[in-house]
C-alpha cells in the first residue's frame, strides 16, 4: 500500500514545527507519511526571514514579511523556547532575554538544520488553489513553481495550513487621507525607523505593532510620535516625545484631527491597524474565517477544521505563546495523521470548541488572556508526547513582562528571565537596549567587552 501524503503550506515556525514533529516520530522508530512542504519564499523562517522588499517579490508574489530592521523580540525568549531544543543547546552560552530578530532566526534554523529536513521543502513554490475531492477523499493542490513558471497539481491525504496571519494588512480609510502629502504606509511595509529621523510621526493603532514601531521611531530619532487609539490606549508610562490620543477622525492636508478635538501636523502616517486572515488559495468550504483572536472558531483544539479535520491549521490564533505553541499543535496534528490520536465525533468536538469560545468571550484583562492561552497549551500538552515544560512558570513570566512594559517601555528589554527548559538564568546584554543601534547577530553574540571591539569569528549565515 502506498504511503499517505501530507502537504504543509508554509515553512515558517509553524510549518517547520510540523516537519520537526514528523522527524521526532521517525527517530523513535515510527513509520511516517510522505511529507512535502511548500514555501513561496526562497528560504524558510516565515516572518523571521527578513525581506527588504515591500509590495511584491522577484516573482511578483505579494511579500509575506512584516518584520523590520532593528526588530527585537517583544517578549522574553524564555516564553517561546522549544522544549526539545534549548537556547543553551544552540548558543552554548547564556544570552539575554530579548534577542534581536537575526538571533532568533538563527535559533529557529539551528533546530531544523539538525534534522536535515530542507529536502522536504519546495521553495519558490506558491500554493495557488486547493480542492477537496469528495470521491477520492484527497486534496488536490494546485502549485506554482515560481522559478520555472510552471503550474502543476498534486494530491494529498492531509493538508496542514501554516501560512501565517500577519501578512495581509487591514487598511481602514480615514477621511482626507488620500490628500495627505507625506508618506502613508501600513506596518506590513515598515522596514525600519531610519527614514523618520527628525519627523513628526502619526501611528494609528494601540497594539504590539503600534507600540513597537512607535518606540523604534523614538529610539532612532523621530522628533515626535503620536499614537492614536480606537478602543483602549496602550496606557504605559510614555517617555517625553511619545503620546497617545483618541481616534483619528480626518485629515486636512497634513493636519490630523482627533476625536477629542485636538489636531497636529505630521510628516508621515503609519497604520498599525492589524492584519487579515487571508487564504486566497482556499475555497469557501475549507476556509477559516476569523478576526485576530485567541480562539478562532471552526477549528477543534485550535487545529482541526471541524467540517473536515483532515485539513489542519497551525498558528492561527493571536499569540502570547509562539514557537512552543506551534510545536504543541504540530505534535498533536502529527499524531492524528499517524493514527495514534483519535478525534472525537464532530458533535463532541463542537461542544468542546463552544466551551473554549465561551471562556474566550469572558476574558477581560491581559492577565486573563495569558491564563487562557496557558490553559490551551496545557490541554494540548496532555494529548501528545511533546516534551513537557513548566507552562505555569511561563505564564508568570508573561505577567512580569506585561508589568515591566507598564513601568518602562524603553527598558523592559533589559530585564532577564530564567529558562524553564534548562534552568539557565539569562545574561544581561552587553549594551542597554536604548543604546544598542546594531541588531546584528555578530555584535549581539561576539562583542568583546574588554576592548569594545567585535570578533567576527562566527560563520556568517549563508542562507
Ligand atoms: P509565518 O511566520 O507568517 O510563516 C508563514 C509562511 O507561509 C511564510 O514563510 C510564507 O511565505 C508562507 N506562505 C504563505 N502563503 C503561502 C502560499 N500560498 N504558498 C506557499 N507558502 C506560503 N513572535 C514572537 O514570538 N516574538 C516576536 O518578537 C515577534 N515579533 C513579530 C513581529 C512582527 C512585525 C510580526 C508580524 C509578528 C511577530 N511575531 C513574533 C509573531 C510571528 O508571527 C510568529 O513568531 C511566527 O512567525 C508565526 O509563524 P507561522 O509559521 O505561523 O507564520
Ligand atoms: P493586532 O494585535 O491585531 O492589533 C491591531 C490594532 O489595530 C488594534 O489596536 C486595533 O484596535 C487597531 N485597529 C484595527 N482597525 C482599526 C481602525 N479602523 N481604526 C483604528 N484602529 C484600528 O496587530 P499588530 O499590532 O499588528 O500585531 C500583530 C503581531 O505582530 C503580534 O503578534 C505582535 O506580537 C507582533 N509584533 C511584534 C513586534 C516585536 O516587537 N517583536 C512588533 C510588532 C508586531 P482595537 O483595539 O480598537 O481593535
Amino acid at each position: 500500500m502506498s504511503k499517505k501524503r501530507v502537504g504543509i503550506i508554509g515553512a515558517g515556525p509553524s510549518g517547520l514545527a510540523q516537519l520537526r514533529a514528523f522527524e521526532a516520530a521517525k527517530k523513535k522508530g515510527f513509520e511516517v507519511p510522505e511529507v512535502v512542504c511548500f514555501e513561496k519564499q526562497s528560504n524558510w523562517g516565515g516572518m523571521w526571514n527578513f525581506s527588504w522588499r515591500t509590495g511584491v517579490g522577484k516573482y511578483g508574489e505579494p511579500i509575506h514579511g512584516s518584520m523590520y530592521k532593528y526588530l527585537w523580540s517583544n517578549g522574553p525568549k524564555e516564553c517561546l523556547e522549544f522544549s526539545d531544543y534549548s537556547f543553551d543547546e544552540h548558543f552554548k552560552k547564556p544570552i539575554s532575554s530579548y534577542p534581536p530578530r537575526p538571533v532568533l532566526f538563527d535559533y529557529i534554523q539551528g533546530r531544523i538544520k539538525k534534522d536535515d529536513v530542507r529536502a522536504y521543502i519546495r521553495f519558490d513554490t506558491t500554493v495557488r488553489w486547493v480542492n477537496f475531492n469528495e470521491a477520492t477523499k484527497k486534496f488536490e493542490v494546485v502549485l506554482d513553481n515560481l522559478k520555472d513558471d510552471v503550474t502543476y497539481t498534486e494530491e494529498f491525504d492531509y493538508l496542514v495550513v501554516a501560512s501565517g496571519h500577519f501578512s495581509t494588512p487591514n487598511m481602514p480609510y480615514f477621511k482626507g487621507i488620500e490628500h495627505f502629502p507625506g508618506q502613508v504606509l501600513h506596518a506590513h511595509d515598515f522596514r525600519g525607523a531610519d527614514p523618520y529621523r527628525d519627523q513628526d510621526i502619526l501611528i494609528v493603532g494601540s497594539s504590539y505593532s503600534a507600540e513597537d514601531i512607535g518606540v523604534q521611531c523614538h529610539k532612532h530619532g523621530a522628533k515626535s510620535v503620536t499614537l492614536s487609539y480606537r478602543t483602549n490606549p496602550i496606557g504605559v508610562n510614555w517617555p517625553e516625545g511619545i503620546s497617545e490620543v483618541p481616534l483619528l477622525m480626518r485629515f486636512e492636508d497634513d493636519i490630523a484631527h482627533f476625536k477629542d478635538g485636538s489636531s497636529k501636523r505630521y510628516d508621515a502616517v503609519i497604520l498599525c491597524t492589524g492584519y487579515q486572515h487571508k487564504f486566497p488559495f482556499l475555497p469557501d468550504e475549507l476556509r477559516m474565517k476569523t478576526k485576530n483572536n485567541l480562539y478562532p472558531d471552526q477549528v477543534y483544539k485550535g487545529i482541526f477544521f471541524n467540517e473536515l479535520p483532515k485539513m489542519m491549521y497551525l498558528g492561527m490564533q493571536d499569540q502570547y505563546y509562539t514557537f512552543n505553541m506551534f510545536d504543541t499543535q504540530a505534535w498533536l496534528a502529527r499524531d492524528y495523521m499517524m493514527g495514534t490520536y483519535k478525534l472525537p465525533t464532530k458533535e463532541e468536538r463542537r461542544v468542546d470548541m463552544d466551551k473554549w469560545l465561551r471562556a474566550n468571550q469572558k476574558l477581560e484583562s491581559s492577565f486573563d488572556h495569558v491564563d487562557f492561552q496557558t490553559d490551551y497549551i496545557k490541554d494540548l500538552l496532555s494529548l501528545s508526547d511533546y516534551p513537557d515544560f513548566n507552562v505555569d512558570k511561563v505564564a508568570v513570566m508573561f505577567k512580569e513582562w506585561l508589568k515591566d512594559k507598564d513601568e518602562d517601555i524603553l527598558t523592559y528589554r533589559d530585564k532577564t528571565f530564567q529558562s524553564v527548559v534548562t534552568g539557565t538564568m539569562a545574561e544581561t546584554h552587553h549594551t542597554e537596549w536604548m543604546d544598542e543601534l546594531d541588531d546584528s547577530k555578530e555584535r549581539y553574540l561576539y562583542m568583546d567587552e574588554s576592548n569594545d571591539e567585535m570578533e567576527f569569528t562566527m560563520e556568517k549565515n549563508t542562507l
Side-chain angles (χ1 to χ4, degrees):
M1 227 172 71
S2 66
K3 271 189 170 187
K4 294 270 187 204
R5 297 193 85 214
V6 173
I8 303 172
I9 305 176
S14 295
L16 294 175
Q18 193 63 74
L19 287 169
R20 169 77 172 185
F22 280 116
E23 284 303 295
K26 207 154 103 185
K27 278 189 191 139
K28 286 189 173 174
F30 290 97
E31 199 185 328
V32 300
E34 182 192 344
V35 182
V36 188
C37 176
F38 301 104
E39 173 51 60
K40 71 178 194 174
Q41 302 187 64
S42 306
N43 196 9
W44 54 26
M47 276 296 151
W48 298 90
N49 171 26
F50 175 74
S51 168
W52 59 269
R53 297 171 194 264
T54 55
V56 292
K58 60 180 169 180
Y59 300 113
E61 292 294 301
I63 284 292
H64 186 81
S66 303
M67 288 200 179
Y68 36 88
K69 252 164 92 180
Y70 314 134
L71 184 138
W72 293 64
S73 179
N74 68 343
K77 75 179 197 306
E78 288 75 15
C79 293
L80 56 75
E81 189 166 15
F82 299 125
S83 76
D84 68 344
Y85 186 72
S86 67
F87 282 99
D88 285 0
E89 181 176 350
H90 185 75
F91 291 106
K92 316 279 186 240
K93 63 175 188 180
I95 61 169
S96 75
S97 280
Y98 292 88
R101 183 202 55 79
V103 173
L104 283 178
F105 185 33
D106 197 64
Y107 171 62
I108 297 166
Q109 296 185 74
R111 178 172 85 154
I112 207 75
K113 275 182 189 166
K114 261 179 64 166
D115 285 338
D116 200 18
V117 297
R118 213 171 164 85
Y120 304 131
I121 308 173
R122 287 190 212 158
F123 292 102
D124 296 310
T125 303
T126 292
V127 174
R128 190 62 73 210
W129 192 247
V130 175
N131 177 52
F132 183 70
N133 186 324
E134 286 293 346
T136 61
K137 301 287 175 212
K138 286 185 195 286
F139 295 95
E140 296 159 348
V141 180
V142 181
L143 299 148
D144 273 355
N145 174 333
L146 302 171
K147 242 186 198 160
D148 300 338
D149 197 12
V150 173
T151 302
Y152 61 103
T153 303
E154 287 197 9
E155 286 187 343
F156 293 92
D157 299 283
Y158 299 99
L159 198 63
V160 178
V161 181
S163 53
H165 61 96
F166 293 130
S167 195
T168 304
N170 171 45
M171 288 279 269
Y173 173 71
F174 296 94
K175 200 172 166 211
I177 198 165
E178 67 274 35
H179 301 302
F180 182 79
Q183 191 189 22
V184 177
L185 74 161
H186 187 273
H188 172 64
D189 295 321
F190 178 85
R191 288 291 176 269
D194 305 298
Y196 308 105
R197 202 164 289 143
D198 299 323
Q199 295 198 356
D200 292 306
I201 306 301
L202 172 60
I203 289 180
V204 185
S206 59
S207 186
Y208 297 103
S209 293
E211 173 189 298
D212 195 55
I213 291 176
V215 168
Q216 294 281 353
C217 289
H218 174 78
K219 175 177 171 180
H220 291 270
K223 199 197 296 175
S224 76
V225 175
T226 310
L227 301 156
S228 164
Y229 63 88
R230 177 173 64 178
T231 312
N232 294 310
I234 297 170
V236 301
N237 277 323
W238 294 111
E240 204 184 321
I242 308 184
S243 57
E244 269 191 292
V245 296
L247 190 59
L248 167 67
M249 301 309 288
R250 66 190 165 88
F251 285 98
E252 262 175 317
D253 199 36
D254 56 358
I255 314 273
H257 294 267
F258 302 101
K259 207 173 175 179
D260 61 356
S262 64
S263 61
K264 185 173 163 151
R265 194 205 67 84
Y266 293 99
D267 295 300
V269 181
I270 308 175
L271 298 174
C272 297
T273 41
Y275 293 88
Q276 304 179 42
H277 280 66
K278 195 83 185 163
F279 307 100
F281 50 87
L282 291 178
D284 246 2
E285 66 275 15
L286 299 178
R287 193 161 70 239
M288 171 190 278
K289 298 178 183 181
T290 183
K291 286 197 183 328
N292 189 23
N293 82 97
L294 289 173
Y295 209 88
D297 197 4
Q298 298 173 284
V299 276
Y300 176 66
K301 299 290 173 203
I303 304 169
F304 305 95
F305 195 62
N306 205 30
E307 287 302 313
L308 181 66
K310 287 171 143 200
M311 168 102 179
M312 284 147 275
Y313 285 88
L314 300 182
M316 287 304 157
Q317 29 298 98
D318 199 6
Q319 296 155 10
Y320 283 89
Y321 293 82
T322 52
F323 303 165
N324 43 13
M325 176 170 77
F326 310 148
D327 276 8
T328 57
Q329 295 177 330
W331 256 247
L332 188 61
R334 174 203 69 188
D335 289 353
Y336 163 69
M337 289 184 266
M338 289 178 53
T340 53
Y341 169 68
K342 302 280 179 226
L343 286 173
T345 65
K346 186 175 172 185
E347 291 68 33
E348 287 166 334
R349 299 195 299 260
R350 185 70 256 172
V351 170
D352 187 72
M353 287 153 67
D354 287 341
K355 184 191 84 184
W356 285 94
L357 287 168
R358 276 195 304 276
N360 188 18
Q361 270 180 354
K362 288 191 192 132
L363 307 178
E364 287 176 0
S365 67
S366 302
F367 281 19
D368 293 346
H369 291 150
V370 169
D371 288 337
F372 178 85
Q373 200 154 65
T374 302
D375 289 344
Y376 169 63
I377 308 270
K378 280 187 189 169
D379 188 32
L380 294 188
L381 277 172
S382 72
L383 298 171
S384 85
D385 70 349
Y386 184 68
D388 214 355
F389 61 102
N390 191 337
V391 201
D392 287 321
K393 199 167 168 206
V394 175
V396 171
M397 291 195 270
F398 270 123
K399 291 175 186 174
E400 274 181 44
W401 161 73
L402 287 165
K403 280 195 258 167
D404 290 344
K405 287 204 302 175
D406 273 352
E407 272 168 29
D408 195 335
I409 195 74
L410 302 184
T411 62
Y412 79 92
R413 284 186 168 104
D414 298 324
K415 304 266 178 175
T416 50
F417 293 83
Q418 187 180 23
S419 164
V420 294
V421 179
T422 57
T424 300
M425 190 65 206
E427 284 278 290
T428 302
H429 188 45
H430 51 63
T431 307
E432 284 182 5
W433 186 75
M434 272 303 280
D435 296 329
E436 181 60 281
L437 300 179
D438 182 343
D439 64 352
S440 71
K441 184 177 72 179
E442 288 76 13
R443 174 170 168 88
Y444 179 83
L445 290 175
Y446 287 95
M447 184 170 162
D448 177 350
E449 288 164 60
S450 58
N451 61 9
D452 232 32
E453 278 176 13
M454 285 179 277
E455 295 172 20
F456 289 98
T457 52
M458 186 161 180
E459 182 196 345
K460 290 253 179 196
N461 183 352
T462 50
L463 291 170

